[in-house]
Amino acid sequence: MSDPLNEEPEAAKARRRRNLVLGLALTAFAILTFVVTIVRLGGHVADRTF
Amino acid sequence: MTDTAAAPATGSAPARWNDYVVLLKPRVMSLVVFTAFTGLICARTPMSPTLAFVAVLCIAVGAGAAGALNMWYDSDIDGLMRRTRARPIPMGKVQAADALGLGVVLSLLSVMMMGLAANWLAAGLLAFTILFYVVIYTMWLKRSTPQNIVIGGASGALPPVIGWAAATGHAPPNAWLLFLIIFLWTPPHSWALALYTAGDYAKAGVPMMPVAKGAASTRRQILLYSLAFVPVAIAPSFTGLGGPLYLAVSGLGGLMFLLLATRLMRSGSGEADGAQDGLYSVKAGSKDARNLFAFSILYLTLLFAALLAEHALGLAPLVQGLKGLS
């Protein structure tokens, strides 16, 4: 499949790496938000009413 | 920054992910983390290790965001100075707009996360620090007054207060004493460096003290600020914050600091013509400026390390029970 962006191979590789790192950073942020939420809720998470 | 908009100027290498890390000024970030962590530990308030880690991470990311915004705004003059011309934007690796986007997004995320993980006082102080550094220092003071680093130094001095506030929800006088230490340390530190890089600042039109008022005036002001700084650096020994180790380090180091500042005052540093090769490779006439610059970094590091060590070793402060200071 041809490259629609018509990039040099080196540029395409750098872009893929940037996207990979950005994806990892976003994943880490989502995990961090979840962990902070759980820690802040602490033991009260089991006391919630439905 | 993930699409081809990140492509560099013609003829230079494509942006790598670590070019964006460089935008965050990792070396500055490490000092910020160190002082913020010290503030958090000195608060002597139990805090979840996870939340403490997240709070320090937020301060680090916030500082990095401020660094990226600084590089965005200063990209026009960074290319003119030896010390900054290898930064990603002047090198054509990263576009200025990408640095702006990165800085804004990381600022918002770090402040919001600090509010959720610690408290909104710490988040507010972090937001203030970022805004102060970017708007007050970078956009306004840096290019308009030789007092730029004196006033702008407040942003670099705030991290221990933010760390303290993250742990306790308030900022007592002892937290502000840590602020004052860094605040008064900044002028002698920055002007010692500026004495042997003044040519670069002049070329970029930045009115650093040696450029605006001359080398002799700068050396005199360095000594005056050092005379104000050293007693403040020793003060935590008498406010219930520092113990015997801190007193020894701050006292002996303070004497050395004053000795180097006095030698610099009597030297001809900053007077001679000619350009330096780098931060640590300077012409002989500026050796005294280089010595004070290098020792200032060591001294500040030792001061905060002594506070950390005393808390880790469980050493009691020399003075106990000064109400309202901690």
Side-chain angles (χ1 to χ4, degrees):
Chain A
M1 186 176 140
S2 65
D3 180 2
L5 299 173
N6 200 22
E7 286 176 308
E8 295 289 327
E10 195 190 349
K13 190 178 165 189
R15 183 169 55 83
R16 277 196 299 274
R17 287 242 170 106
R18 290 198 303 270
N19 288 344
L20 179 65
V21 172
L22 184 59
L24 289 172
L26 286 172
T27 306
F29 178 70
I31 293 170
L32 195 67
T33 306
F34 175 74
V35 169
V36 166
T37 305
I38 295 301
V39 174
R40 289 287 283 180
L41 285 171
H44 305 298
V45 71
D47 301 335
R48 70 195 190 284
T49 54
F50 293 96
Chain B
M1 71 186 194
T2 60
D3 56 21
T4 48
T10 310
S12 53
R16 294 170 304 161
W17 66 271
N18 44 346
D19 290 324
Y20 293 93
V21 176
V22 174
L23 286 177
L24 306 182
K25 299 190 178 180
R27 279 200 303 180
V28 174
M29 204 191 263
S30 62
L31 190 61
V32 165
V33 165
F34 180 54
T35 58
F37 182 66
T38 305
L40 190 144
I41 294 296
C42 287
R44 294 176 188 267
T45 301
M47 187 180 187
S48 152
T50 307
L51 296 182
F53 169 78
V54 174
V56 175
L57 180 69
C58 288
I59 297 170
V61 173
L69 291 169
N70 170 271
M71 286 200 203
W72 157 69
Y73 192 81
D74 276 350
S75 57
D76 57 335
I77 57 172
D78 278 352
L80 302 174
M81 296 192 284
R82 232 172 289 256
R83 188 172 64 84
T84 53
R85 68 184 171 199
R87 287 176 173 174
I89 300 175
M91 288 290 280
K93 292 177 177 172
V94 175
Q95 291 190 353
D98 291 340
L100 172 63
L102 182 70
V104 170
V105 168
L106 290 183
S107 296
L108 293 173
L109 290 182
S110 60
V111 170
M112 295 304 289
M113 183 58 86
M114 178 67 99
L116 295 172
N119 55 69
W120 293 101
L121 173 64
L125 284 168
L126 181 59
F128 176 78
T129 304
I130 296 169
L131 279 174
F132 195 91
Y133 183 70
V134 176
V135 179
I136 306 293
Y137 171 68
T138 304
M139 294 183 178
W140 178 26
L141 299 172
K142 184 172 178 179
R143 303 185 194 206
S144 62
T145 168
Q147 297 298 328
N148 47 15
I149 55 96
V150 178
I151 306 164
S155 51
L158 274 165
V161 185
I162 305 172
W164 198 304
T168 64
H170 61 274
N174 264 338
W176 290 105
L177 184 56
L178 295 179
F179 166 90
L180 197 58
I181 289 172
I182 304 176
F183 184 73
L184 290 174
W185 167 87
T186 305
H189 165 78
S190 303
W191 287 337
L193 169 68
L195 273 174
Y196 59 94
T197 54
D200 264 4
Y201 285 117
K203 206 187 322 175
V206 178
M208 286 296 281
M209 194 57 79
V211 177
K213 302 287 179 188
S217 169
T218 305
R219 294 197 302 268
R220 193 165 54 247
Q221 292 189 67
I222 285 176
L223 181 59
L224 289 174
Y225 269 100
S226 301
L227 287 167
F229 161 61
V230 170
V232 171
I234 298 171
S237 308
F238 307 102
T239 62
L241 192 54
L245 177 65
Y246 184 85
L247 179 62
V249 168
S250 60
L252 294 173
L255 285 175
M256 187 63 166
F257 200 100
L258 289 176
L259 177 71
L260 292 174
T262 307
R263 271 193 193 163
L264 176 59
M265 165 75 191
R266 291 175 176 168
S267 75
S269 287
E271 303 283 3
D273 290 325
Q276 80 289 348
D277 296 323
L279 293 188
Y280 298 98
S281 175
V282 297
K283 53 191 182 285
S286 291
K287 271 259 164 32
D288 292 304
R290 193 275 313 267
N291 287 344
L292 180 64
F293 173 71
F295 183 74
S296 67
I297 298 171
L298 176 68
Y299 185 45
L300 189 73
T301 306
L302 287 176
L303 289 177
F304 281 79
L307 287 175
L308 274 181
E310 285 182 339
H311 283 78
L313 297 170
L315 291 176
L318 284 174
V319 178
Q320 298 277 2
L322 284 180
K323 279 189 176 176
L325 288 180
S326 293

